[in-house]
């Protein structure tokens, strides 16, 4: 869903020139609403340095997994791609990252007993390399690999003197949710600032009152004119994202809600609205991947 932007100045750096497509809520987590209101450099910086971190946030990943089939499979694949995963392999744990085609690639994962969980293909290469360095013949190497192939999953296979491998296979991974939240305040700030520009501020988004916001989104340490309050709602996850202007005076407040449960209230403390804008809210249903605006 596109909302047109009639001006030719970037809302972040204020430079005039070609503007590029920017999603308000990142497409990586299901966002559909977009407009062209930033130059390529500012859009790329926000996308790589700020918004990509939203996709990696454990709370977002947990919400997607909790919703299960309520979220389209392609969206789950997109969120899992290149993100850390974990899986139980017998009585040990392996770590991996997701690939774009919903496969996985195991990291070398050290265990408390001194062993290392390895990707099956890489483990075979390591066995060949280790035995070759010991001077083993091609026949001996082939025999060691055959012993590994013939052994049942879960068994410790002695492939050569002093070299043992616990064979195992992985059929399913789950997200690694052990990391702390990585979403910086500038992420909901960027999303809310774009929404405010498109729905209520219009050309006044270029005013000096928003300079502190613009500076923060350019990567400068500036908190003038804005603050962010985050919370987790005591309610079930829902397959939806939303944006809404929740307050007009004495200053504007925009609320960003993700997956029905994660919420940020972004206050633009130097800006007020004297009248209600035509669009005050936007919601996207992730189940159908469609969105609508509300006045």
């Amino acid at each position: 869903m596109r909302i047109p932007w009639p001006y030719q100045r970037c809302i972040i750096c204020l430079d005039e020139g070609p503007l590029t497509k920017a999603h308000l809520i990142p497409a990586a987590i299901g966002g559909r609403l977009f407009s062209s209101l930033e130059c390529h450099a500012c859009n790329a910086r926000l996308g790589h340095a700020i918004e990509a971190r939203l996709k990696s946030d454990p709370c977002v990943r947990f919400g997607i997994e909790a919703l299960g089939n309520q979220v389209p499979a392609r969206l789950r694949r997109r969120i899992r791609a290149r993100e850390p995963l974990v899986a139980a392999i017998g009585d040990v744990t392996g770590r991996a990252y997701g690939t774009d085609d919903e496969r996985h690639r195991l990291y070398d994962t050290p265990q408390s007993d001194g062993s290392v969980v390895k990707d099956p293909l890489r483990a075979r290469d390591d066995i060949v390399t280790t035995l070759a360095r010991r001077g083993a013949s091609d026949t001996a190497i082939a025999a060691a690999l055959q012993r590994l192939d013939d052994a049942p999953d879960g068994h410790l296979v002695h492939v050569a003197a002093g070299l043992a491998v616990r064979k195992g296979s992985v059929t399913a991974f789950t997200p690694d949710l052990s990391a702390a939240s990585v979403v910086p305040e500038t992420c909901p700030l960027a999303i809310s600032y774009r929404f405010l520009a498109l729905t209520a501020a219009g050309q006044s988004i270029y005013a000096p009152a928003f300079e502190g916001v613009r500076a923060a989104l350019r990567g400068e340490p500036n908190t003038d004119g804005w603050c962010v309050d985050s919370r987790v709602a005591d309610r079930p996850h829902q397959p939806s994202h939303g944006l809404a202007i929740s307050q007009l005076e004495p200053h504007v407040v925009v609320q960003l809600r993700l997956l029905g449960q994660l919420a940020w209230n972004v206050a633009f403390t130097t800006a007020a609205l004297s009248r209600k804008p035509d669009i005050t809210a936007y919601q996207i249903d992730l189940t159908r991947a469609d969105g609508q605006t509300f006045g």
Side-chain angles (χ1 to χ4, degrees), residues 86-123:
V86 294
I89 310 170
D91 57 352
V92 299
T93 298
R95 296 186 179 276
Y97 65 90
T99 60
D100 292 334
D101 56 2
E102 208 174 11
R103 297 182 182 179
H104 60 265
R105 183 164 303 224
L106 276 166
Y107 293 114
D108 285 359
T109 311
Q111 304 297 309
S112 58
D113 62 1
S115 63
V116 178
V117 174
K118 288 180 174 287
D119 182 274
L121 291 178
R122 195 162 58 250

Side-chain angles (χ1 to χ4, degrees), residues 36-281:
S36 297
L37 33 61
E38 296 164 14
C39 67
H40 177 77
C42 288
N43 187 22
R45 182 178 61 253
L46 291 178
H48 290 98
I50 297 176
E51 293 172 2
R53 297 171 67 178
L54 190 59
K55 173 175 171 283
S56 301
D57 182 71
C59 291
V60 173
R61 300 185 70 200
F62 176 77
I64 291 293
E65 296 299 321
L67 288 167
N69 291 334
Q70 295 182 68
V71 176
R74 65 182 181 279
L75 178 56
R76 289 199 305 274
R77 287 196 299 269
R78 188 184 305 165
I79 290 179
R80 282 185 167 192
R82 302 187 183 92
E83 296 297 333
L85 304 169
V86 294
I89 310 170
D91 57 352
V92 299
T93 298
R95 296 186 179 276
Y97 65 90
T99 60
D100 292 334
D101 56 2
E102 208 174 11
R103 297 182 182 179
H104 60 265
R105 183 164 303 224
L106 276 166
Y107 293 114
D108 285 359
T109 311
Q111 304 297 309
S112 58
D113 62 1
S115 63
V116 178
V117 174
K118 288 180 174 287
D119 182 274
L121 291 178
R122 195 162 58 250
R124 293 176 67 86
D125 290 341
D126 288 350
I127 290 171
V128 172
T129 300
T130 300
L131 295 180
R133 286 174 178 170
R134 293 181 180 182
S137 66
D138 291 344
T139 301
I141 293 174
L145 294 177
Q146 190 62 53
R147 286 194 294 277
L148 178 64
D149 293 339
D150 292 343
D153 278 1
H155 280 57
L156 189 67
V157 184
H158 293 275
V159 293
L163 181 60
V165 176
R166 185 179 298 278
K167 184 179 177 182
S169 58
V170 181
T171 58
F173 280 91
T174 58
D176 182 0
L177 305 176
S178 61
S181 176
V182 294
V183 177
E185 289 187 336
T186 43
C187 181
L189 176 65
I191 294 170
S192 300
Y193 180 64
R194 289 168 173 169
F195 184 70
L196 184 63
L198 288 173
T199 60
Q203 192 169 17
S204 64
I205 203 73
Y206 299 116
F210 293 104
E211 182 51 35
V213 175
R214 290 191 289 268
L217 298 181
R218 293 193 298 264
E220 302 169 19
N222 196 315
T223 58
D224 295 339
W226 64 276
C227 64
V228 176
D229 174 44
S230 62
R231 61 189 177 90
V232 177
D234 184 17
R235 55 192 286 186
H237 288 98
Q238 297 174 352
S240 64
H241 300 322
L243 280 159
I245 297 175
S246 60
Q247 179 180 306
L248 301 179
E249 296 179 323
H251 57 261
V252 179
V253 176
V254 175
Q255 183 180 85
L256 166 66
R257 187 180 293 277
L258 301 180
L259 303 173
Q261 195 179 82
L262 309 175
W264 292 264
N265 289 316
V266 181
F268 296 90
T269 56
T270 57
L273 293 176
S274 58
R275 67 177 183 84
K276 180 181 177 181
D278 293 336
I279 298 174
T280 60

Side-chain angles (χ1 to χ4, degrees), residues 15-26:
D15 286 350
E16 294 186 1
L19 302 182
T20 190
K21 175 180 175 181
H23 282 85
L24 275 70
I25 296 174

